[in-house]
Amino acid sequence: MTINCNGNLIDLSVPKVMGILNLTPNSFYDGNKYTSDVEILSQAEKLLSEGAFCIDIGAYSTKPNAEYVSIDEEKTRLFPVLEKILKEFNPIISVDTFRSEIADKAIDMGAAIINDVSGGTLDENMYNVVAKHNVPYILMHIKGEPKTMQNLTEYNNLLTDISYYFSGKIVQLREKGVNDIILDVGFGFAKTLAQNYELLHQLAYFKWLNLPLMVGVSRKSMIYKLLNASPQEALNGTSVLHTLSLNNGANILRAHDVKEAIECIKIMEEYNKYE
């Protein structure tokens, strides 16, 4: 449960928090929230000061029915910010992209992790790039692409279908020489609300793959739609799901609200002392 991030060995046997920094105008929760250099650097500093082990930077919204973003636009949004944050804080950076060209350049600039919501399905060269740089790779389950995924929620068996997807891609990544793989079951990606909760309840099932599990449920529709609320009102629900995720084996919480996620980890650590 250790990953190598630019020479830093990160022990994931103790759960960690990945802070989210979206650079998109249309993200479901914080779209267009951080636009100036001052706002972006201030939020990066906040995420780190609250205890994030890394910052996950995304410049392409992958919410359901997300609009297409050209590769040039993704570069324009991402690279200047990546350069500024690395220069200012030199943190561990994860780049949220499904494009190998973006990943390749970002790693050259200093990014340490690639978070690919497509699991390599939208860019056949992604595995080669990750292998070339030998960086940790977050392998997420999805069907289709963000524009079509919510029409692709039929499964023969939810757990076994996702396991089959993971096991095949893990073999491909290992054959390429990728050492560090993190699994993300893809809450909200080609999943109904009921399927999201089934996956959360059965999260520990995926421990048989013997890889770290990352959970991305922060302020998602599986919370706010259930509660007839909005993403802005979903922090309490997020903390509940983070606690359940930790209890079911999560190693990384990908969160907008780092302080609250860290508190979930601390409470669970104390709770587990009395097993």
Side-chain angles (χ1 to χ4, degrees):
M1 289 296 165
T2 302
I3 58 172
N4 187 337
C5 299
N6 285 344
N8 299 298
L9 292 180
I10 308 298
D11 179 11
L12 297 179
S13 62
V14 177
K16 301 290 189 293
V17 176
M18 172 185 283
I20 300 170
L21 181 58
N22 283 319
L23 307 177
T24 54
N26 57 338
S27 291
F28 74 94
Y29 167 59
D30 53 0
N32 219 29
K33 193 172 182 180
Y34 312 112
T35 54
S36 71
D37 288 354
V38 171
E39 290 170 329
I40 290 166
L41 291 174
S42 175
Q43 180 62 9
E45 184 176 30
K46 181 175 185 284
L47 295 172
L48 294 169
S49 67
E50 289 181 348
F53 91 95
C54 80
I55 299 175
D56 188 51
I57 302 178
Y60 191 136
S61 174
T62 51
K63 67 180 181 180
N65 299 308
E67 297 86 350
Y68 175 81
V69 176
S70 71
I71 191 166
D72 287 338
E73 178 65 22
E74 188 176 0
K75 289 176 180 178
T76 299
R77 291 176 182 175
L78 176 66
F79 293 150
V81 171
L82 176 61
E83 183 177 26
K84 287 182 177 72
I85 291 176
L86 285 168
K87 183 178 179 180
E88 187 75 19
F89 306 111
N90 194 30
I92 295 172
I93 293 287
S94 164
V95 170
D96 182 353
T97 187
F98 58 82
R99 288 169 164 152
S100 63
E101 184 180 337
I102 298 286
D104 195 23
K105 173 66 173 176
I107 299 166
D108 281 339
M109 291 176 67
I113 302 171
I114 296 300
N115 180 14
D116 179 6
V117 299
S118 83
T121 60
L122 297 181
D123 188 332
E124 62 183 14
N125 195 44
M126 180 62 88
Y127 290 1
N128 293 325
V129 167
V130 174
K132 179 180 78 171
H133 295 283
N134 200 17
V135 296
Y137 178 71
I138 300 171
L139 169 63
M140 198 190 82
H141 175 267
I142 191 174
K143 292 167 71 177
E145 56 183 300
K147 220 164 185 51
T148 62
M149 63 188 179
Q150 290 312 106
N151 299 319
L152 301 170
T153 57
E154 291 188 11
Y155 296 84
N156 293 320
N157 180 287
L158 184 65
L159 298 181
T160 54
D161 285 5
I162 293 174
S163 292
Y164 182 79
Y165 169 98
F166 278 147
S167 57
K169 292 186 177 299
I170 290 165
V171 168
Q172 294 175 39
L173 286 161
R174 295 298 191 209
E175 287 176 347
K176 298 281 187 182
V178 178
N179 291 320
D180 294 331
I181 304 169
I182 299 162
L183 303 180
D184 179 348
V185 298
F187 290 103
F189 290 80
K191 318 288 190 309
T192 64
L193 188 144
Q195 289 166 343
N196 284 323
Y197 279 93
E198 181 182 354
L199 273 178
L200 181 63
H201 188 73
Q202 300 288 349
L203 187 65
Y205 171 85
F206 297 97
K207 286 292 184 181
W208 76 270
L209 291 162
N210 200 32
L211 291 171
L213 296 174
M214 186 178 84
V215 166
V217 294
S218 182
R219 296 183 179 267
K220 283 189 173 179
S221 63
M222 66 183 288
I223 301 167
Y224 65 80
K225 286 186 177 178
L226 181 69
L227 302 177
N228 294 316
S230 68
Q232 288 70 28
E233 299 169 302
L235 177 55
N236 184 56
T238 297
S239 293
V240 173
L241 294 199
H242 280 164
T243 303
L244 293 170
S245 300
L246 293 165
N247 199 47
N248 291 337
N251 302 100
I252 300 173
L253 302 177
R254 182 179 180 272
H256 297 92
D257 309 280
V258 171
K259 176 179 177 289
E260 290 79 1
I262 292 285
E263 289 172 353
C264 293
I265 291 172
K266 288 181 178 177
I267 289 170
M268 285 303 299
E269 284 179 335
E270 186 66 22
Y271 175 81
N272 286 332
K273 289 179 181 178
Y274 304 97
E275 288 184 339

